């Protein structure tokens, strides 16, 4: 090529483009964001390659095929548009480029570079010849102004950008993006149409829990990030510290400077302050709820223990109410048991009978606080009604048809048939970075169509060791984001390269979750107003439900989305937004 640079752009729904100066572009269209693309690197010595990667020395290259983006034809006011651009540099020069948003119909413009990350399933399988790297981490570009970013591209390098912006005014608009080469004064302009429609939802949100939250994920920045994604509930594991005597009488108020009370305050308070709700998950530490003044703890599920538990919950609520008058008992849910089962399979610290007695106590003494139980792979039908007065029941999305445990065959899938409760939610355990992006984007609205009032992802923040390494502690990382880790070679390389340092680095999975929760919230809001819909609107809603109900959320193995069904879901996203804009 005679030009200094060759750029290959992969975009969605490009309607016009132009270039000036020393730019040569090929433009291709792709399907919207629908699955994680793996990058396979073959090496005769896997361990050397992985060591080189972990040391920040090897940087896998994103391939040109199957890199997908999400750019709808219709969005709501305040909704984000996502799309990606793939650039390929010539082999004879380095360059600094800028990318900018050129019109005022959209705001909150952000731009990231997609970083390939190694995958646990690939690295843990020592029999494989190849290693797989998955485009997932979104490293922020250096911001020059509100609507302009810069980045460097090295000779022969391929760079995929991920951009987002929000529609701020109703109407049909063009999104105009300009890419500029500072070295050669070349410019490439992109323009595509998007219709922005009114959002008549009154900020309605489908319930979604952040499981496994810890003290590290706290503070205003984190709270703002998670609420922007669309989460409504935060799991809190910390138990505020109070001293008791042997009769369960309090000998102090909450000890504010204890590590547990500080952890509770750092995680729960910022979330509740901004209108969120929390789940108190104390099951694994029920034997450490009530601290004795003279040392030790009250025995769980005894009369003194129940008295102490009630005091802690009511005293903590009183303190919260003084600080945040808007907080109500509806904002605090007692997460009674995780993956409940009627038989003792894992030798848990607490028996089924103890948990049943606890549920009776909660219903009798603390009924103003809602209760929640989850059901997992080893749960059985008998466990559904095992506890008394449970307000929210949450089964795993894909339960096995049967398990043979303790010489007894149980059928977890039958749980779905027995969930005769209005307030039932769902949760999924995904495969870390290897997860299908489609499941994040489409499963929440499919669950709503099946009558569920919430959708969550287990172990949302859970990771072993570094968030940037796949197998440093020989366990899968579920975390949907990456930490700022200055001492990690991978993070430090990209931070130095990009000139940015964010406390949290987002991921394509998290962006897909944001779109998925919005889809579910729109559908649930429309269903709540079904009686007021016109005949035509009801017909359109029924068509949407018919398609969504084709997908069976109770399969043992998660079925992949066919191309045809994927395309139907894309059309449903548009139909939902148009219906939402028509509501009174």
């Amino acid at each position: 090529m005679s030009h200094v640079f060759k750029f290959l752009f992969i975009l969605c729904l490009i309607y016009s483009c132009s270039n000036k100066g020393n730019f040569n572009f090929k433009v291709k269209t792709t399907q919207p964001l629908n699955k994680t693309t793996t990058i396979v690197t073959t090496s005769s010595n896997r361990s050397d390659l992985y060591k080189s990667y972990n040391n920040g020395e090897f940087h896998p290259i994103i391939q040109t095929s199957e890199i997908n983006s999400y750019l709808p034809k219709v969005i709501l006011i305040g909704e984000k548009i996502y799309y990606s651009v793939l650039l390929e540099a010539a082999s004879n020069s380095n360059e600094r480029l800028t990318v900018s948003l050129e019109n005022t119909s959209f705001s909150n413009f952000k731009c990231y570079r997609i970083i390939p990350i190694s995958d646990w399933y690939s690295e843990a399988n020592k029999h494989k010849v190849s290693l797989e790297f998955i485009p997932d981490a979104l490293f922020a570009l250096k911001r020059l102004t509100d609507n302009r970013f810069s980045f460097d591209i090295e000779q022969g390098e391929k760079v995929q950008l991920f951009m987002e912006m929000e529609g701020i005014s109703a109407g049909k608009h063009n999104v105009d993006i300009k890419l500029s080469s500072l070295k050669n004064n070349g410019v490439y302009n992109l323009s595509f149409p998007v219709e922005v429609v009114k959002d008549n939802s009154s900020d309605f949100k489908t319930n979604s829990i952040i499981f496994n939250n810890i003290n590290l994920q706290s503070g205003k920045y984190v709270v703002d990030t998670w609420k922007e994604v669309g989460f409504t509930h935060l799991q809190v594991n910390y138990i505020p510290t109070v001293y008791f005597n042997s009769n369960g009488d309090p000998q102090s108020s909450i000890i504010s400077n204890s590590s547990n009370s500080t952890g509770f305050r750092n995680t729960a308070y910022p979330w509740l302050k901004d209108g969120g709700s929390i789940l108190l998950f104390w099951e694994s530490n029920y034997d450490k709820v009530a601290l004795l003044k003279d040392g030790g703890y009250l025995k769980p599920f005894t009369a003194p223990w129940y008295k102490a538990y009630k005091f802690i919950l009511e005293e903590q609520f009183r303190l919260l109410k003084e600080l945040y008058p808007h907080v109500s008992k509806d904002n605090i849910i007692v997460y009674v048991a995780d993956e409940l089962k009627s038989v003792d399979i894992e030798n848990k610290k607490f028996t089924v009978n103890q948990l049943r007695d606890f549920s009776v106590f909660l219903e009798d003494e603390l009924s103003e606080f809602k209760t929640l139980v989850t059901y997992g792979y080893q749960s059985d039908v008998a466990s559904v009604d095992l506890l008394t007065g449970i307000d929210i029941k949450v089964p795993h999305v894909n339960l096995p048809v049967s398990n043979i445990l303790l010489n007894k065959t149980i059928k977890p899938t039958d749980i779905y048939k027995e969930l005769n409760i209005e307030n039932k939610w769902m949760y999924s355990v995904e495969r870390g970075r290897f997860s299908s992006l489609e499941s994040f984007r489409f499963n929440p609205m499919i669950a709503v169509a099946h009558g569920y009032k919430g959708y969550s992802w287990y172990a949302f923040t859970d990771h072993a060791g570094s968030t940037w390494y796949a197998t440093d502690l020989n366990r899968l990382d579920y975390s949907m984001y990456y930490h700022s880790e200055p001492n990690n070679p991978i993070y430090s390389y990209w931070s130095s390269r990009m000139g940015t340092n964010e406390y949290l680095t987002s991921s394509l999975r998290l962006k897909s979750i944001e779109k998925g929760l919005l889809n579910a919230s729109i559908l649930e809001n429309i269903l709540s107003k079904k009686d007021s819909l016109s005949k035509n609107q009801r017909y359109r809603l029924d068509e949407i439900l018919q398609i969504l109900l084709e997908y069976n959320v109770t399969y043992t193995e998660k079925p992949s989305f066919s191309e045809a069904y994927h395309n139907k879901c894309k059309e449903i996203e548009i139909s939902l937004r148009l219906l939402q804009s028509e509501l009174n």
Side-chain angles (χ1 to χ4, degrees), residues 353-476:
N353 287 336
Q354 286 175 318
L355 292 174
R356 184 189 293 115
D357 291 344
F358 182 42
S359 70
V360 172
F361 160 75
L362 291 170
E363 186 178 34
D364 290 345
E365 299 292 331
L366 294 165
S367 60
E368 291 178 306
F369 295 97
K370 288 186 172 63
T371 52
L372 178 146
V373 170
T374 60
Y375 305 91
Y377 270 69
Q378 295 179 344
S379 300
D380 56 339
V381 175
S383 66
V384 175
D385 296 318
L386 189 65
L387 306 187
T388 300
I390 300 302
D391 300 294
I392 305 165
K393 297 182 178 182
V394 190
H396 190 287
V397 171
N398 305 102
L399 292 176
V401 173
S402 64
N403 275 339
I404 300 177
L405 301 158
L406 301 181
N407 297 319
K408 178 180 179 181
T409 300
I410 62 175
K411 294 185 177 181
T413 48
D414 287 346
I415 288 175
Y416 294 108
K417 303 173 186 177
E418 300 299 322
L419 283 176
N420 299 318
I421 183 173
E422 181 179 352
N423 203 3
K424 54 185 180 182
W425 303 0
M426 272 191 166
Y427 76 98
S428 173
V429 178
E430 297 293 337
R431 301 182 66 198
R433 298 163 190 157
F434 203 69
S435 304
S436 165
L437 297 179
E438 293 170 313
S439 65
F440 298 117
R441 179 177 164 192
F442 296 140
N443 275 356
M445 68 177 176
I446 293 171
V448 170
H450 281 267
Y452 291 82
K453 304 295 184 182
Y455 195 98
S456 307
W457 293 268
Y458 186 72
F460 172 80
T461 68
D462 182 64
H463 62 275
S466 169
T467 53
W468 296 90
Y469 289 156
T471 60
D472 51 333
L473 291 184
N474 199 31
R475 182 171 72 78
L476 174 67

Side-chain angles (χ1 to χ4, degrees), residues 204-346:
F204 187 93
K205 286 188 176 182
T206 292
N207 297 303
S208 188
I209 304 164
I210 298 176
F211 283 109
N212 284 55
N213 193 70
I214 58 176
N215 200 359
L216 188 61
Q217 286 85 53
S218 59
K220 187 177 188 308
Y221 175 78
V222 177
V223 168
D224 289 346
T225 301
W226 297 161
K227 289 196 173 179
E228 184 178 331
V229 173
F231 294 109
T232 58
H233 293 71
L234 180 72
Q235 176 182 315
V236 178
N237 301 334
Y238 298 97
I239 305 172
T241 302
V242 179
Y243 290 117
F244 297 92
N245 63 20
S246 59
N247 294 321
D249 300 314
Q251 303 299 293
S252 72
S253 184
I254 289 175
I255 308 299
S256 62
N257 61 351
S258 73
S259 59
N260 274 333
S261 296
T262 300
F264 185 94
R265 189 167 57 252
N266 288 346
T267 52
Y269 278 43
W271 193 259
L272 290 164
K273 179 181 178 181
D274 287 346
S277 298
I278 61 172
L279 275 73
L280 302 179
F281 183 58
W282 300 348
E283 181 188 12
S284 59
N285 289 305
Y286 282 152
D287 56 345
K288 293 181 174 60
V289 165
L291 182 63
L292 289 169
K293 181 77 172 176
D294 299 326
Y297 298 89
L298 288 173
K299 185 178 179 180
F301 311 116
T302 60
W305 183 92
Y306 284 130
K307 185 192 293 187
Y309 183 98
K310 183 176 181 180
F311 176 82
I312 292 174
L313 195 54
E314 291 186 332
E315 178 67 4
Q316 184 61 74
F317 176 75
R318 183 187 68 79
L319 295 175
L320 283 166
K321 191 71 174 176
E322 287 181 356
L323 194 58
Y324 309 125
H326 66 275
V327 172
S328 73
K329 290 183 178 179
D330 286 339
N331 297 119
I332 300 175
I333 298 174
V334 178
Y335 187 170
V336 180
D338 177 54
E339 299 193 343
L340 183 68
K341 47 191 79 70
S342 67
V343 290
D344 184 14
I345 295 167
E346 297 177 334

Side-chain angles (χ1 to χ4, degrees), residues 99-101 109-110 142-150:
V99 55
S100 56
L101 176 66
F109 182 56
K110 297 179 183 178
K142 186 174 183 178
R143 184 185 290 275
L144 302 177
T145 66
D146 285 347
N147 291 329
R148 190 165 176 257
F149 296 82
S150 71

